[in-house]
Amino acid sequence: MLEIRNLCAGVDGKEILKGLNLTVKAGEIHAIMGPNGSGKSTLAQVLAGRGDYEVSKGSVMFNGASLLELKPEERARAGVFLAFQYPVEIPGVNSTVFLKAALNECRKARGQEELDAVEFLALVKKKTKLLELDQSLLGRAVNEGFSGGEKKRNEIFQMAILEPKLAILDETDSGLDIDALRVVSDGVNKLHGPDNAALVITHYQRLLDYIVPDYVHVLVHGQIVKTGGKELALELEKRGYDWILEGAAKNGKP
Amino acid sequence: MMDTIAPTQREAATASVSGSDLGPEPAWLQSLREKAKMRLGEIGFPTTALEEWRFTNVAPLQQWALHAASPAARRIGRADIEPFLLARDGYCLVFVDGQFRQDLSNLPSQGASLKAGSLHSYWNAEGRELENNLGRHAHFDENYFTALNTAGFQDGAFVAAVANAIVEQPIQLLYVAASERPHAVVHARNLLVAHHSSSLKIIETYASLTDAPHFTNAVTEVVLGPDARLEHCKLQNENENAFHISWTQAVQARNSRWLSHSIATGARLARNQIQTLLNSEGAEGVLNGLYFARGQQLIDHHTVVDHAQPRCESHEFYYGILSDRAHGVFNGKIFVRQDAQKTNAKQTNRNLVLSETALINTKPQLEIFADDVKCTHGATVGQLNEEALFYLRARGIGVDLARRMLVRAFANDAVERITLAAVRQHLEKLLSARFEGLNTSVSSHGQ
């Protein structure tokens, strides 16, 4: 599904990703862990298509198409979804209006019929239940005045509505209490199936108790330096990142 | 050059007076017109050398051979004005090329509590009320266009609520320019009076039926008695060849409340002077506005809130959206006179600039002579929020739609401040049409 080859990218002339390789197949959940500043969020932003980031080298293939040549909205319509680390508050744009427009843009691009207001509301009702989301939030402006937990829940709710092929969760666990973490994780798990994949970016192992990954990758200095199964996350939790950093240094990597 | 053109203006003004066949005018009005006419030559046509007209160049008007329009007026029927009416069966006073059209108007039944009709129909019945107010509040001593209007206005609307009358249903004053012949001029004149403890809702609309360049020069005087309340929306959506100059002057008595909205989307050049005199304790003035200029339009608002007495409040929110090569001007003056202790005045002007070639000149101007006052002001000029834009696009919404959604959100803030539901609904439609054609292509970098 996703094939990242030798990806080099940065911002403001500073290179952050330095030859990153990653392959994600349908049905898999991959976790990306790493210390602060290793490039985890940069990877998420580059995949979603944020204009501030420049890709200097490498390729990203998504279901056979070159992802880097697509505009952010085209990537979303193709099935890439980024759950933002810091969801943006957009005063004056109603949540429901926004999400209906987004869904119908995606459906149009996929050759599906657009949903009318009644069909859309039925879908919303179903999915809010899944995320235990207070439906009244959807009458408000996008993320405006939402608590930290509500914002993260709203991200996963949007994901539930848009049904992406590849979900990228950028530190979705940060700022969540344990109950919210469970609800968000439940949502992600329920949405996961053999036809889609998830890239879970996290600093802590905690989230991976709830969303169990098939692979865990350690990102250091813009490269994946170690890959393992879910037990690698536990080892990182116990031993920290230092032993990997030392190992990477010994191997002559930066 | 000024001297050669000013007489033309005077002739146009005079022509429209003598050309009216509306019957004799009272002596006090004739004398008022004479004074204004004399003053006109002394003031001179405004140029950009004057601070008040620095950014707003009305010189092209001097090249126009102005004429008082009339021939087209007869052909205009109900179907032509329907799109501009805010409520199908609502009260309205319709003026076509400045001429009152009783047949197109829907006047409230003339009970004892509410009077509404053309100025001309009230010269006798309300002689004293008109004499006491007309030209007494919108001073023409220093203002060329107000003098021109006073000297030459053909007709206009008179609406008055007597003491304690609560008039729930809005009354619309609709001015449509219909002349196909270019350079028609209309000097519209309105007098709105809300007496002691009464309440009125007025919607003042200016629109064009053709693309011919025309000139509207409107003066509206608003008088609020003690404890009166007047909601007042001015909607200006004339064609983009028109020149629109208007002066709205309110005078507020004790504990009165004036809510003014100026929604300006039309004209090639629009200048709105909106002023209130808070003339007695406890008065409150709310001055809100939205200007939305595109192409080569220039839309200028000059507001003046004059706190003349203690314990008055004023709140001002003006929003501007500028695209293409449009030019916006906002000048907000707040005077706090020496006696006006405990004044509370707030002014905000926010601008969204959607292209590199659009321009805004914004200037708050506070002159405070009292010491125990609370006055705040703020002006912002910004572009669309890139973070918000990316967020919308990352959910699949195309860049054009995403930009329109954000511009719309900005405008909604202004629209939501309007208390008249009919105006809000009308604006939704008007703005939707505008957003469809909105050129946002140079507003943002990125992909």
Side-chain angles (χ1 to χ4, degrees), chain A residues 49-50 70 72-73 76-77 81-82 84 90-93 98 102 105-106 143 155 158, chain B residues 385 387-388 390-399 401 405-406 409 412 445-447:
Chain A
R50 189 186 284 268
L70 302 180
E73 56 268 34
R77 292 169 196 165
F81 180 93
L82 170 65
F84 282 61
I90 313 181
V93 175
F98 150 70
E105 291 282 318
C106 289
N143 291 322
E155 291 293 288
Q158 291 175 24
Chain B
N385 181 336
E387 295 285 317
F390 178 67
Y391 189 82
L392 296 176
R393 295 179 72 189
R395 295 294 175 257
I397 296 173
V399 65
L401 180 58
M405 286 173 91
L406 293 178
N412 276 353
H445 54 82
Q447 296 186 50

Side-chain angles (χ1 to χ4, degrees), chain A residues 216 218 226-237 243-244:
Chain A
V216 174
V218 182
K226 195 167 182 64
T227 294
K230 60 175 187 268
E231 64 287 347
L232 177 56
L234 293 168
E235 198 173 352
L236 288 169
E237 181 77 356
W243 61 283
I244 289 183

Side-chain angles (χ1 to χ4, degrees), chain B residues 167-333:
Chain B
V167 184
E168 281 298 334
Q169 200 178 330
I171 298 165
Q172 186 176 12
L173 320 179
L174 173 60
Y175 285 87
V176 290
S179 179
E180 312 242 354
R181 196 180 138 205
H183 305 147
V185 56
V186 168
H187 302 288
R189 186 78 186 213
N190 304 303
L191 176 61
L192 315 173
V193 185
H195 283 282
H196 189 292
S197 302
S198 69
S199 170
L200 262 184
K201 297 170 181 175
I202 304 288
I203 298 156
E204 195 183 334
T205 306
Y206 295 87
S208 315
L209 288 175
T210 74
D211 286 329
H214 65 92
F215 173 34
T216 300
N217 180 28
V219 175
T220 299
E221 286 165 292
V222 185
V223 184
L224 290 95
D227 296 297
R229 180 187 167 98
L230 201 147
E231 291 180 56
H232 184 193
C233 279
K234 178 172 183 280
L235 308 171
Q236 186 275 111
N237 192 28
E238 294 184 334
N239 75 43
E240 287 172 37
N241 298 310
F243 274 62
H244 180 98
I245 292 175
S246 82
W247 186 292
T248 303
Q249 175 71 57
V251 183
Q252 298 188 238
R254 179 173 47 80
N255 294 337
S256 64
R257 188 154 196 258
W258 185 49
L259 286 92
S260 155
H261 288 270
S262 171
I263 312 292
T265 49
R268 168 181 161 196
L269 178 148
R271 163 66 170 252
N272 287 315
Q273 186 88 30
I274 297 177
Q275 310 201 153
T276 187
L277 173 61
L278 299 165
N279 214 12
S280 191
E281 286 197 30
E284 183 186 359
V286 178
L287 281 74
N288 291 343
L290 172 66
Y291 45 96
F292 189 171
R294 64 183 173 192
Q296 309 260 10
Q297 287 183 291
L298 181 149
I299 301 183
D300 172 341
H301 279 89
H302 270 60
T303 66
V304 178
V305 178
D306 192 346
H307 284 265
Q309 296 293 329
R311 278 177 277 277
C312 291
E313 284 200 27
S314 64
H315 302 274
E316 190 169 3
F317 293 90
Y318 266 82
Y319 293 77
I321 303 170
L322 304 150
S323 65
D324 308 318
R325 307 184 66 82
H327 186 175
V329 179
F330 177 80
N331 182 293
K333 290 187 186 66

Side-chain angles (χ1 to χ4, degrees), chain A residues 126-139:
Chain A
K126 202 171 96 189
K127 303 289 185 177
T128 42
K129 236 177 249 164
L130 184 74
L131 270 301
E132 296 175 28
L133 191 77
D134 179 1
Q135 213 174 325
S136 74
L137 290 178
L138 298 173

Side-chain angles (χ1 to χ4, degrees), chain B residues 151-167:
Chain B
F153 72 84
Q154 296 100 322
D155 204 351
F158 170 64
V159 182
V162 302
N164 300 309
I166 307 296
V167 184

